[in-house]
């Protein structure tokens, strides 16, 4: 078997290992049978896509990033990015929930204590556990410490207190990864040394998910606020060693995932338009054809949108190769970061253009609300607001013009 292609033969699947390809073939079945049919329902409800995520647990895709030495696939970044694209063609909220989980699994295995690794592998492989993320706080600049505190106790554990305003994937995650500030470890020379990642089980009585997410798009991520009141975290659930986190490529890996989801949204929008154009749209009289799919202006518009998405998809898949190469020590961080910024820019612009352009392909009757074509634009518009891409353009330009190297950081 081979993976299904996107948009006819315009976008070919990447080269993957046999294990990776089999995992994504299984994912394709789950997307067709569960994720896609439930997408509109999840968008309408505006809450966590429980049934879709349960289906992901059943197919094993959540274990893609678990290292092979701990029983997982040890999949490449390319495979994970491709999974995000494929999910986003059906439901970009599910894709973002998966994105956060996959990134957290990769990150925690990189900077946690050795004794947590087999336990984390067992959670993901044997218990199908999902990880959600709680990091963003209101009114804080990047340079300021978190107000969420992780205070050390006499028994070696910690008590976490604070509130986060955005929590993608955390609403029904089995474990929430919450970043806290440990004042005992703060040094002016390295403020990041005081950041501590803690894994909090969903049944912890001190953790409250407020279910207050009410956004234009990405509604089923349920990415609302969460609070922690005297949440006890045993020392065995501290998921970062001081000084190891964040990783130098954490921020750019985050951006590569956004590129993948935005490309997937654009592909999904165009694929959704094809049957409508063939079966319901009317050609313009001047075209002198019987079917809108034969209208040369419709064909031209579709071709232009597809070409831009194909280019963005290729750039995004190259991000996967670059991330793997960087982790093997084969390239500098700047050689990794600048191409990822370019991919993010191409993905944002082509995804937005496709989600908006489908209406021009389909015509006025496609604007009826019950058809739900607005989901594509609402989702990509909302997601592109995360980390404004114009700053990526500034950083690319600064690098090319002055030789500047973007420093490691949350958003660079």
């Amino acid at each position: 078997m081979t993976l299904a292609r996107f948009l006819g033969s315009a976008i070919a699947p990447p080269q993957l290992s046999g294990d990776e390809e089999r995992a994504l073939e299984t994912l394709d079945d789950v997307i067709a049978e569960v994720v896609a049919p439930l997408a509109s329902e999840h968008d309408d409800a505006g809450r966590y896509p429980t049934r879709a995520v349960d289906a992901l647990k059943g197919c094993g895709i959540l274990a893609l990033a678990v290292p092979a030495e701990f029983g997982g696939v040890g999949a490449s970044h390319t495979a994970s990015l491709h999974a995000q694209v494929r999910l986003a063609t059906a439901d970009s909220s599910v894709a973002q929930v998966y994105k956060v989980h996959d990134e957290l699994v990769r990150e925690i295995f990189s900077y946690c204590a050795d004794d947590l690794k087999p336990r984390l592998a067992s959670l993901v492989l044997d218990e199908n556990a999902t990880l959600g993320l709680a990091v963003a706080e209101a009114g804080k600049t990047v340079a300021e410490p978190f107000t969420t505190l992780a205070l050390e106790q006499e028994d070696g554990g910690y008590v976490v207190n604070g509130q986060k305003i955005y929590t993608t994937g955390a609403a029904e995650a089995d474990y929430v990864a919450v970043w806290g500030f440990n004042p005992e470890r703060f040094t002016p020379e390295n403020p990041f040394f005081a950041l501590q990642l803690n894994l909090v089980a969903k049944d912890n009585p001190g953790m409250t998910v407020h279910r207050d997410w009410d956004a234009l798009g990405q509604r089923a991520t349920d990415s609302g606020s969460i609070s922690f009141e005297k949440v006890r975290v045993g020392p065995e659930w501290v998921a970062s060693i001081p000084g190891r986190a964040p990783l130098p490529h954490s921020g750019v890996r985050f951006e590569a995932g956004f590129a993948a989801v935005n490309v997937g949204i654009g592909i999904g929008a165009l694929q959704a338009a094809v049957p409508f154009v063939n079966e319901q749209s009317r050609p313009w009289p001047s075209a002198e054809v019987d079917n809108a799919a034969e209208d040369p202006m419709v064909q031209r518009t579709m071709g232009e949108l597809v070409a831009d998405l194909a280019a963005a998809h290729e750039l995004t898949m190259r991000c996967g190769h670059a991330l793997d190469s960087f982790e093997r020590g084969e390239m500098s961080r700047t050689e990794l970061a600048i191409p990822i910024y370019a991919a993010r820019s191409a993905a944002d612009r082509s995804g937005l253009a496709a989600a908006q352009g489908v209406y021009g392909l389909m015509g006025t009757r496609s604007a009826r609300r019950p058809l739900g074509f607005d989901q594509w634009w609402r989702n990509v518009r909302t997601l592109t607001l995360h980390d404004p891409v114009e700053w990526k353009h500034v950083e690319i330009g600064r690098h090319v013009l002055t030789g500047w190297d973007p420093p490691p950081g949350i958003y660079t």
Side-chain angles (χ1 to χ4, degrees):
M1 293 177 64
T2 57
L3 291 172
R5 290 174 175 263
F6 297 133
L7 300 174
S9 295
I11 301 177
Q15 297 298 312
L16 303 171
S17 72
D19 286 343
E20 291 170 341
E21 187 160 326
R22 283 186 288 273
L24 290 175
E25 286 170 353
T26 301
L27 177 63
D28 275 348
D29 293 337
V30 170
I31 290 172
E33 296 168 8
V34 181
V35 178
L38 292 174
S40 293
E41 179 182 330
H42 286 149
D43 177 73
D44 288 341
R47 288 294 171 257
Y48 192 87
T50 306
R51 286 182 287 170
V53 174
D54 285 346
L56 296 187
K57 290 183 177 184
C59 79
I61 197 70
L62 296 176
L64 203 62
V66 175
E69 63 185 291
F70 292 99
V73 175
S76 64
H77 282 89
T78 300
S80 290
L81 290 173
H82 198 61
Q84 292 169 44
V85 171
R86 302 192 85 78
L87 283 165
T89 64
D91 188 333
S92 54
S93 290
V94 177
Q96 191 177 353
V97 169
Y98 168 77
K99 168 190 183 297
V100 167
H101 169 88
D102 185 84
E103 289 167 349
L104 280 169
V105 171
R106 291 179 182 275
E107 298 249 328
I108 293 172
F109 271 105
S110 298
Y111 50 55
C112 73
D114 288 342
D115 59 358
L116 178 57
K117 294 178 182 179
R119 189 160 57 250
L120 177 60
S122 178
L123 288 177
V124 177
L125 295 173
D126 303 327
E127 300 179 28
N128 291 321
T130 54
L131 306 183
L133 180 63
V135 59
E137 298 190 5
K140 295 284 103 181
T141 68
V142 176
E144 291 178 308
F146 290 133
T147 58
T148 298
L149 299 179
L151 302 177
E152 191 164 358
Q153 305 299 295
E154 292 183 359
D155 62 0
Y158 295 83
V159 170
V160 176
N161 289 289
Q163 182 160 347
K164 305 291 186 177
I165 58 172
Y166 296 131
T167 55
T168 300
E172 294 183 17
D174 296 296
Y175 289 85
V176 177
V178 53
W179 283 103
F181 180 78
N182 184 343
E184 297 297 322
R185 293 183 178 148
F186 177 76
T187 62
E189 298 77 21
N190 185 6
F192 285 124
F193 200 80
L195 293 184
Q196 178 175 302
L197 188 66
N198 311 275
L199 290 179
V200 179
K202 64 180 180 181
D203 57 356
N204 192 302
M207 181 174 70
T208 303
V209 178
H210 296 288
R211 310 307 284 259
D212 52 2
W213 181 243
D214 186 17
L216 175 75
Q218 292 300 96
R219 302 191 67 239
T221 61
D222 210 358
S223 300
S225 63
I226 189 170
S227 56
F228 303 87
E229 184 176 356
K230 298 179 181 178
V231 171
R232 294 194 61 83
V233 177
E236 71 275 16
W237 294 113
V238 174
S240 63
I241 291 178
R244 288 190 185 177
L247 299 172
H249 59 304
S250 293
V252 290
R253 172 161 42 206
F254 206 58
E255 299 292 343
F258 279 130
V261 177
N262 288 334
V263 165
I265 294 172
I267 293 170
L270 294 187
Q271 290 187 156
V274 170
F276 192 96
V277 171
N278 276 278
E279 298 165 12
Q280 299 190 52
S281 298
R282 291 187 300 181
W284 193 248
S286 301
E288 298 181 348
V289 295
D290 295 329
N291 190 295
E294 298 172 349
D295 186 324
M297 292 303 294
V298 172
Q299 292 174 343
R300 178 196 176 281
T301 300
M302 175 64 88
E304 185 175 21
L305 295 172
V306 169
D308 288 346
L309 279 170
H313 182 269
E314 180 63 21
L315 287 175
T316 301
M317 291 303 106
R318 287 177 179 267
C319 293
H321 295 299
L323 284 162
D324 289 330
S325 294
F326 178 80
E327 291 189 345
R328 292 192 297 265
E330 297 171 354
M331 63 169 55
S332 70
R333 189 185 181 280
T334 297
E335 290 171 325
L336 170 69
I338 297 301
I340 288 180
Y341 294 168
R344 173 71 194 276
S345 173
D348 279 25
R349 287 182 292 157
S350 62
L352 280 166
Q356 176 177 303
V358 290
Y359 288 103
L361 293 170
M362 297 183 292
T364 306
R365 64 186 67 188
S366 67
R368 288 182 293 135
R369 290 184 63 185
L371 296 174
F373 286 111
D374 61 303
Q375 288 182 50
W376 306 103
W377 183 85
R378 288 189 290 104
N379 287 334
V380 73
R381 178 66 279 187
T382 300
L383 201 55
T384 54
L385 295 174
H386 202 307
D387 309 351
V389 74
E390 294 302 336
W391 275 104
K392 304 306 167 205
H393 297 153
V394 170
E395 290 157 4
I396 294 170
R398 185 179 179 186
H399 167 73
V400 171
L401 291 169
T402 70
W404 170 79
D405 294 320
I410 297 175
Y411 300 109
T412 56

